[in-house]
Amino acid sequence: MSDTATPLKEQVGRYGVWSIGLRSEDPARRGAIAEAAAELEELGYGAVWLGGNSTPRNAAPLLEATSRLRVGTSIQSIWQLDAGASAAGYAELEAAHPGRFVLGLGVSHAKLADQYRRPYSAMVGYLDALDAAGVPAERRVLAALGPKMLKLSRDRAAGAIPYLVTPEHTARAREILGAGPLLAPEFKVVLEQDPDRARTTARNYLAMYLELPNYTDNFLRLGFTEDDVRNGGSDRLVDAVFAWGEESRIRDRIEEFRAAGADHVAVQVVTDDQDRDALPTQEWRRLAAVLG
């Protein structure tokens, strides 16, 4: 049984894995996902964060296959599942695996959600409904980028799980959150030393995010220019939001986030495999060795 009294920031450890592939609902992949989750736990990762509009249902197979690993949604869109259904899913997992599921929530993007209106107010209302349904603030986190959502993460959740950010954003976020709440940014890694190949892999993955104003606006707030976010992203932008190169350089880039105030870094391995549901198990092993 997990220690539910321990703050979340102490439960998740220093490093975790962010993955779309581990949230697959294909029954044929359930065994591979369970095996991957069990290995990630043995490799020493403290948490797995499920991408791709994940829900509590997606977390269940990973929790069942492990005994210590924390599993979070990163993110569940508030437009995808109403608060009542989220609360019911949380309660089911909490009963079966106390303290090990984290409900990560976000407002998604106007281009991806037809209902997208007044996102901040909608998130406040969603959290109100979760409060009423008994989902504790210390078991939920928000995918916050801007100052208002970061403050909401501080006041109404256990902390923030910003996606596609830089150490500079992490430093600003820590100032807003203060010392107590969890700050667990996602960071992308390409295990490739050749600059051209690494940046090509990165740009292929980054392209869809540069179509979403929530991300590009955040880059502009961080001092990037309109030119940086055009045409697949400048080298400056790519090198800021991806780590690549020798293993020591990759480790140093990940540690920049912790030096800037991150409690936990959710590392996403990006490969040149176009199947976003792939499970890069060899790369996770290499990365675990790099992180020690």
Side-chain angles (χ1 to χ4, degrees):
M1 180 174 292
S2 298
D3 179 6
T4 56
T6 303
L8 181 60
K9 65 188 295 182
E10 298 177 22
Q11 295 179 29
V12 296
R14 293 184 298 171
Y15 311 109
V17 164
W18 192 103
S19 171
I20 291 177
L22 287 170
R23 68 159 304 281
S24 175
E25 297 180 9
D26 181 354
R29 302 190 65 224
R30 191 178 180 101
I33 287 172
E35 289 178 8
E39 182 175 5
L40 289 171
E41 181 174 76
E42 289 305 309
L43 287 170
Y45 293 105
V48 165
W49 302 93
L50 302 179
N53 257 355
S54 48
T55 69
R57 179 177 64 184
N58 300 125
L62 286 81
L63 292 167
E64 291 166 3
T66 56
S67 60
R68 304 180 305 277
L69 195 70
R70 269 55 178 179
V71 181
T73 51
S74 179
I75 58 167
Q76 179 185 297
S77 166
I78 63 171
W79 317 107
Q80 177 189 11
L81 201 64
D82 67 46
S86 291
Y90 166 84
E92 183 177 347
L93 292 182
E94 181 64 15
H97 311 282
R100 293 180 54 214
F101 173 67
V102 184
L103 182 61
L105 299 168
V107 297
S108 188
H109 304 271
K111 290 187 176 182
L112 302 179
D114 292 339
Q115 314 97 306
Y116 194 93
R117 301 287 188 280
R118 302 179 63 203
Y120 179 83
S121 296
M123 178 62 82
V124 170
Y126 202 95
L127 295 176
D128 289 344
L130 290 180
D131 286 345
V135 178
E138 59 267 24
R139 304 308 305 175
R140 62 200 192 204
V141 289
L142 307 185
L145 292 177
K148 287 180 65 177
M149 201 66 77
L150 284 164
K151 290 177 182 177
L152 195 64
S153 303
R154 176 193 67 199
D155 298 339
R156 301 288 305 277
I161 49 170
Y163 185 86
L164 195 60
V165 292
T166 64
E168 291 75 17
H169 181 275
T170 294
R172 296 183 188 184
R174 178 50 75 194
E175 288 183 6
I176 292 171
L177 291 174
L182 170 71
L183 179 54
E186 175 270 351
F187 186 44
K188 297 173 179 58
V189 168
V190 180
L191 292 170
E192 170 60 62
Q193 294 189 24
D194 180 82
D196 290 337
R197 287 199 295 267
R199 288 180 176 137
T200 295
T201 296
R203 282 194 174 92
N204 288 341
Y205 200 83
L206 183 62
M208 67 176 183
Y209 297 110
L210 295 182
E211 299 296 321
L212 301 173
N214 289 6
Y215 292 125
T216 55
D217 289 349
N218 192 53
F219 291 144
L220 298 178
R221 284 195 297 268
L222 291 169
F224 293 97
T225 68
E226 294 285 355
D227 287 339
D228 285 315
V229 300
R230 293 192 183 106
N231 303 317
S234 66
D235 284 355
R236 176 189 177 211
L237 178 63
V238 168
D239 292 351
V241 296
F242 288 79
W244 57 268
E246 295 182 356
E247 292 180 348
S248 61
R249 179 186 179 191
I250 289 173
R251 182 181 62 248
D252 289 346
R253 291 295 320 283
I254 293 171
E255 289 305 312
E256 286 178 15
F257 283 86
R258 290 185 43 80
D263 303 295
H264 172 94
V265 183
V267 183
Q268 180 180 181
V269 170
V270 175
T271 71
D272 56 9
D273 188 338
Q274 297 302 306
D275 179 7
R276 289 179 181 254
D277 284 341
L279 300 176
T281 51
Q282 292 186 4
E283 288 83 358
W284 288 336
R285 293 168 194 152
R286 286 179 59 192
L287 191 59
V290 169
L291 296 175

